[in-house]
Amino acid sequence: MTSASPAERYAAARAERAHPETAAFAGRQRFELDPFQVEGCRALERGSSVLVAAPTGAGKTIVGEFAIHLAMSTPGDKAFYTTPMKALSNQKFRELQDVYGEGEVGLLTGDTNINAHARVVVMTTEVLRNMIYAGSSALDGLRYVVMDEVHYLADRFRGAVWEEVIIHLPESVRLVALSATVSNAEEFGDWLATVRGGTEVIVSETRPVPLEQHVLARGELLPLFDEHAGGSEVNGDLLRLGRALPGGSGRGRGRRHAPRPPRGAGRLDRAAAIDLLAHRNLLPAIFFIFSRVGCDQAVVQARRAGVRLTTPEERARIRDIVRERTAALADEDLGVLGYFEWAEDLERGIAAHHAGMLPAFKEVVEELFQRKLVKVVFATETLALGINMPARTVVLEKLEKFNGEARVPITSGEYTQLTGRAGRRGIDVEGHAVVHWTDGLDARQVASLASRRTYPLNSSFRPTYNMAVNLIDQFGRRVAREILESSFAQFQADRAVVGLAREVRQADESLEGYLAAMRCHRGDFAEYAGIRRELSDLEKKARQDVSASKARQEQRRQKMASLRRGMQRHPCHRCEDREQHARWGERYYQLRRRTDKLRRQIEQRTGTVARQFDRIVDVLVALDYVAIDGSAATLTDAGRRMKRIYGDRDLLVAEALRRELWTRLDAPALAALACTLVYEPRRGEAGGEAPLPRGPFREALDATERLWAELDDLEEDHRLPGTQPVAPGLAQAMHMWARGQLLDRVLGAADMAAGDFVRWAKQTIDLLDQISLVADGELARTARRALEAVRRGIVAYTGV
């Protein structure tokens, strides 16, 4: 503040006196807080909720940590910190333990329950949603909820959970919403203020560490932007390179021979790229490769090329950490998991990071990278989703990825999220983003991705059966409808309707003008224009539909003849200005047709969420989960059971339990059956050809599939989207695992990576846990035994 004027220094001192908690908290940080961080903390100290939207790595979580500080400063207050992923929850749990001590911090992630009644609890967002619906006593004294990565509410599979939590949190709870930079932060903030009360929106588009953009071509790093033009124009060398290389965007199709590319213009191999970055002092680096197989292959290539980035001392530290973190893994499983090659690669300072890896291995990679022991990580984009692994350099090998159906270009938002990992606050003066040159690369396209740093946040909210029964039980049907109409989804739809309604009003004014312009002294020209339009449409249909039956063609001929007679007899037909009026009439017709379409859109969008809710309630009434008495709706016993069944299969699970389809199953068979309800086969995976467990399992599976088909028909009748069919592809492997078979045999039967199997096993455990809580008698006990049988070995391991 030495360069500040006396007035500015006085204002700053006055602001600090008005916000003593913020000043004290800021004074304890390792670095000076940025203005947006100070603004967020002061808003909380004033009693507001806040939405903080800032780039990846900018330090948004400081505002969330201040909320926890405020809670801990007041006896009896609590704070919850929610994240979208268990890995993020685990990481934040460890960080907060370091600050407040083990006794004050808890962790709840579905499969992990540590110190659940602590004053500070880290959890996944789904856990908090379930707590709210269950009316958990853990909510007593809750003062702050931090929702990290709140832009996840755009996720079409899980996004609704964020909106449910925001809508249903007690009014006394202050919300701290932390988001990536989105282009409609103010719109989202307006909605938060509508449903939560006073909310301040704080937006920062400034990266704390500047980002330099490069393209790796000709064996060197070329700047993406022209440094002599103020960094706003694309580097001319790259544009010339694009024209010179085969597949470039330059002219010259008529040339007989393509020009020779400059020497070394093609892609470097990965070992050479690593060597180049090392010599430029640009490590540690993350290479983003949009394929798990590609990540693993990249590590193998680097190993075979002899890449070694560590000193003897670093290798010794790596060995110690790896042994300590993996001591709980069974010796007989290590070979199956590729442990020895993985550990050797870590000692070289290189590693892969993707969802197919064992969670324990991923956690070790994250820790070693944070400790600057691993220098290069080849990762899929999942690493960009909030885990604290900043690097000096981020390398993008391609600017397209497979989205499950086709290879598509990455969006500007994805580019920003990925390159946001580059630049470590307090360590690096600048971060570096490097795009590998590929044939056909358009430097202007890269520049466009690099320049646009925002993307819109759009709701993916939709009511579910579980949501419906919980809302009806707590509030009744009428209030439940009103609550759903307060969702961000409806808020956005209504805002869109406001824009559409404005268009309709403007169009109506234009229509009046067109009517005036085609007014005719001989008669009603609008009527005459309507006859001409109808005749023109019929003539067009007659030309297109030449295969129509003779009867249809004759009917059309008669109709057209009648219209021609009517047109010729109309008084306006003899008007000397007829064609001039007709031009206005055509404009009138075109605009009215568009306006009618807008009106239909308005009708469809208004109340869309509530209409979906009504259809869901109709299904629940048909199946006797909800009883209707006049205008009142109440839950039946079956409806009360459904309150505790979460997930896409809520109705199928509830109905299967009610019809007692699974009562003859033993623990391994129930685990296998539960797996069929959570497992989602990858695109192109074989369907019903997979081997299945013998005995009662097959009968139970057949009954479950018939029930699914019955419910799917019922949903279709009520114009609801339905769910995917039951997927038995992993049932045999899960059955083997629950029977205690060895890991190598189970993974062989599953034909999938260990990390994938662990993920599906944990989702199976989540469903078995729900069944154990809502089922009756012996089935509940079987579900508990099945849960324990699945939760062993690599599935039971947690690095927390």
Side-chain angles (χ1 to χ4, degrees):
M1 294 294 290
T2 54
S3 61
S5 68
E8 289 171 331
R9 288 199 298 273
Y10 173 75
R14 191 174 173 188
E16 284 194 9
R17 285 196 300 274
H19 304 91
E21 290 290 346
T22 299
F25 178 77
R28 289 199 293 273
Q29 303 308 307
R30 291 181 291 107
F31 47 82
E32 185 177 352
L33 296 190
D34 289 336
F36 85 90
Q37 295 170 324
V38 172
E39 192 181 346
C41 293
R42 287 176 176 173
L44 283 173
E45 191 170 355
R46 288 193 293 270
S48 294
S49 292
V50 292
L51 165 64
V52 182
T56 301
K60 298 182 288 289
T61 55
I62 280 288
V63 183
E65 289 164 11
F66 178 68
I68 294 170
H69 163 80
L70 288 178
M72 296 301 284
S73 300
T74 306
D77 279 1
K78 292 181 182 176
F80 288 170
Y81 196 109
T82 75
T83 77
M85 295 186 294
K86 293 175 183 178
L88 274 176
S89 294
N90 293 344
Q91 190 174 74
K92 203 69 201 176
F93 170 68
R94 289 190 290 265
E95 291 174 7
L96 291 172
Q97 275 190 324
D98 291 341
V99 176
Y100 296 106
E102 292 186 4
E104 296 286 9
V105 184
L107 177 67
L108 292 171
T109 60
D111 58 352
T112 304
N113 185 330
I114 301 172
N115 203 13
H117 297 287
R119 291 179 61 197
V120 179
V121 184
V122 183
M123 62 187 69
T124 50
T125 317
E126 281 86 353
V127 169
L128 179 54
R129 186 272 311 271
N130 298 352
M131 272 187 184
I132 291 170
Y133 280 157
S136 171
S137 60
L139 298 171
D140 296 344
L142 181 61
R143 181 64 175 159
Y144 297 95
V145 166
V146 182
M147 300 190 81
D148 203 353
E149 309 283 338
V150 76
H151 49 272
Y152 253 78
L153 68 76
D155 184 90
R156 66 192 181 98
F157 298 109
R158 300 171 56 208
V161 175
W162 274 256
E163 291 192 47
E164 288 179 81
V165 169
I166 291 167
I167 291 169
H168 296 305
L169 275 174
E171 288 183 18
S172 58
V173 175
R174 299 273 72 82
L175 184 70
V176 185
L178 307 177
S179 170
T181 308
V182 292
S183 52
N184 59 335
E186 286 75 15
E187 178 188 45
F188 184 49
D190 288 347
W191 174 69
L192 289 175
T194 301
V195 295
R196 303 287 326 152
T199 302
E200 297 190 32
V201 179
I202 295 153
V203 177
S204 172
E205 296 187 18
T206 304
R207 282 178 50 97
V209 180
L211 184 65
E212 295 290 321
Q213 309 272 354
H214 313 271
V215 174
L216 178 54
R218 295 194 306 214
E220 58 182 322
L221 291 178
L222 301 177
L224 175 60
F225 295 101
D226 188 341
E227 297 163 344
H228 302 295
S232 59
E233 295 181 11
V234 178
N235 184 348
D237 287 346
L238 289 173
L239 297 176
R240 287 188 287 276
L241 182 62
R243 291 192 290 269
L245 286 176
S249 57
R251 296 176 183 172
R253 289 182 184 175
R255 293 178 183 172
R256 189 165 181 175
H257 300 289
R260 290 173 61 87
R263 188 171 60 84
R267 293 169 62 89
L268 284 178
D269 65 34
R270 291 180 176 119
I274 292 170
D275 189 52
L276 174 64
L277 294 178
H279 278 90
R280 293 280 298 270
N281 194 28
L282 295 179
L283 296 181
I286 300 171
F287 284 65
F288 281 110
I289 302 172
F290 301 118
S291 151
R292 300 176 183 185
V293 173
C295 293
D296 293 334
Q297 288 175 343
V299 173
V300 172
Q301 289 168 6
R303 184 201 316 145
R304 288 176 177 168
V307 171
R308 188 178 295 278
L309 305 169
T310 52
T311 64
E313 294 78 14
E314 288 173 329
R315 290 195 285 277
R317 288 178 62 199
I318 289 169
R319 271 194 298 276
D320 290 343
I321 291 170
V322 169
R323 285 173 186 157
E324 181 184 345
R325 298 291 183 267
T326 60
L329 297 176
D331 290 343
E332 64 268 21
D333 292 343
L334 297 181
V336 182
L337 297 169
Y339 169 88
F340 301 103
E341 296 87 351
W342 170 74
E344 180 194 338
D345 293 332
L346 291 176
E347 289 188 34
R348 290 176 175 273
I350 55 178
H353 188 287
H354 57 73
M357 291 173 62
L358 191 69
F361 286 10
K362 282 199 297 183
E363 290 170 14
V364 172
V365 171
E366 292 160 14
E367 181 177 352
L368 294 177
F369 194 79
Q370 289 164 10
R371 291 178 180 235
K372 307 172 196 166
L373 296 172
V374 163
K375 313 299 171 70
V376 171
V377 169
F378 300 99
T380 56
E381 68 266 35
T382 53
L383 187 145
L385 300 176
I387 298 173
N388 183 25
M389 279 183 67
R392 177 163 294 172
T393 303
V394 162
V395 180
L396 300 183
E397 294 206 346
K398 292 183 179 177
L399 294 178
E400 62 177 22
K401 66 175 186 176
F402 187 69
N403 68 356
E405 296 179 355
R407 298 205 69 81
V408 297
I410 64 172
T411 65
S412 60
E414 289 167 332
Y415 183 91
T416 301
Q417 190 84 358
L418 295 166
T419 57
R421 293 279 148 219
R424 298 163 300 175
R425 185 166 185 160
I427 302 173
D428 298 321
V429 177
E430 59 194 15
H432 298 266
V434 178
V435 175
H436 253 308
W437 181 272
T438 55
D439 288 345
L441 184 75
D442 184 348
R444 291 188 183 88
Q445 176 199 2
V446 182
S448 174
L449 287 173
S451 301
R452 292 177 55 213
R453 301 196 179 281
T454 60
Y455 50 98
L457 178 61
N458 293 315
S459 172
S460 60
F461 183 85
R462 59 181 178 82
T464 64
Y465 295 104
N466 170 271
M467 189 191 304
V469 294
N470 274 289
L471 289 175
I472 288 171
D473 192 48
Q474 283 186 273
F475 305 106
R477 183 174 185 174
R478 182 184 61 79
V479 176
R481 263 182 128 262
E482 292 172 0
I483 288 170
L484 291 175
E485 286 181 325
S486 71
S487 66
F488 187 44
Q490 192 59 56
F491 185 83
Q492 287 190 305
D494 289 345
R495 283 212 163 181
V497 164
V498 169
L500 291 174
R502 188 183 304 116
E503 282 189 62
V504 169
R505 284 197 303 274
Q506 291 170 349
D508 284 341
E509 292 173 7
S510 298
L511 287 170
E512 288 179 16
Y514 293 167
L515 280 172
M518 65 178 175
R519 192 168 292 133
C520 178
H521 64 285
R522 288 183 174 271
D524 186 349
F525 200 92
E527 181 183 66
Y528 176 74
I531 296 172
R532 281 177 60 136
R533 167 50 54 189
E534 189 177 358
L535 177 59
S536 175
D537 286 346
L538 269 176
E539 289 172 340
K540 184 177 179 181
K541 282 182 183 176
R543 288 193 301 271
Q544 291 175 342
D545 192 12
V546 293
S547 60
S549 67
K550 288 185 178 180
R552 170 65 62 86
Q553 290 179 9
E554 180 58 30
Q555 187 180 25
R556 277 192 188 139
R557 274 196 296 269
Q558 291 178 7
K559 178 67 173 174
M560 287 189 292
S562 172
L563 287 169
R564 287 192 191 100
R565 287 193 299 272
M567 184 178 72
Q568 290 164 0
R569 291 170 183 167
H570 198 284
C572 291
H573 189 64
R574 292 182 295 278
C575 177
E576 58 275 14
D577 296 322
R578 183 186 68 194
E579 292 310 310
Q580 183 180 345
H581 293 331
R583 282 193 291 274
W584 287 108
E586 184 61 24
R587 292 178 191 174
Y588 175 87
Y589 169 78
Q590 296 288 352
L591 183 58
R592 195 181 70 180
R593 188 166 64 174
R594 182 169 176 274
T595 306
D596 289 344
K597 184 178 178 182
L598 289 174
R599 284 197 169 94
R600 287 194 297 273
Q601 288 180 13
I602 290 172
E603 188 178 330
Q604 288 165 1
R605 293 189 184 190
T606 305
T608 49
V609 177
R611 278 203 302 274
Q612 182 93 340
F613 171 73
D614 288 339
R615 291 168 190 162
I616 284 173
V617 173
D618 288 344
V619 169
L620 292 171
V621 170
L623 293 171
D624 197 33
Y625 287 87
V626 172
I628 301 294
D629 182 8
S631 61
T634 56
L635 300 188
T636 63
D637 289 342
R640 281 186 282 277
R641 170 186 275 170
M642 185 186 277
K643 283 178 60 182
R644 293 184 290 169
I645 300 172
Y646 302 97
D648 288 342
R649 304 284 194 185
D650 46 10
L651 181 61
L652 180 60
V653 172
E655 193 66 5
L657 291 176
R658 184 164 70 168
R659 299 189 190 190
E660 300 183 343
L661 301 186
W662 304 334
T663 53
R664 294 183 55 234
L665 299 177
D666 61 10
L670 184 58
L673 197 290
C675 180
T676 70
L677 301 180
V678 298
Y679 176 58
E680 296 171 13
R682 302 186 79 164
R683 185 172 296 274
E685 188 175 312
E689 301 172 8
L692 298 174
R694 293 190 176 89
F697 171 84
R698 298 190 182 192
E699 183 182 332
L701 178 63
D702 287 344
T704 305
E705 289 177 328
R706 287 194 299 273
L707 173 59
W708 171 84
E710 178 186 327
L711 296 178
D712 194 56
D713 289 343
L714 183 62
E715 288 176 320
E716 187 176 344
D717 291 342
H718 286 82
R719 289 179 295 158
L720 289 168
T723 57
Q724 291 298 310
V726 174
L730 193 56
Q732 177 77 351
M734 195 59 67
H735 189 261
M736 293 167 62
W737 180 252
R739 282 168 41 219
Q741 298 237 4
L742 293 176
L743 179 64
D744 60 341
R745 291 196 61 195
V746 171
L747 292 182
D751 190 26
M752 66 174 53
D756 290 324
F757 179 76
V758 169
R759 185 170 74 256
W760 295 122
K762 289 192 172 183
Q763 291 194 33
T764 300
I765 287 171
D766 286 345
L767 179 53
L768 289 169
D769 185 44
Q770 292 176 40
I771 293 171
S772 74
L773 295 173
V774 302
D776 297 322
E778 185 57 32
L779 181 58
R781 290 187 285 275
T782 302
R784 183 54 55 181
R785 288 194 296 272
L787 184 158
E788 298 300 339
V790 175
R791 191 164 57 194
R792 67 178 182 88
I794 61 171
V795 177
Y797 173 86
T798 173
V800 177

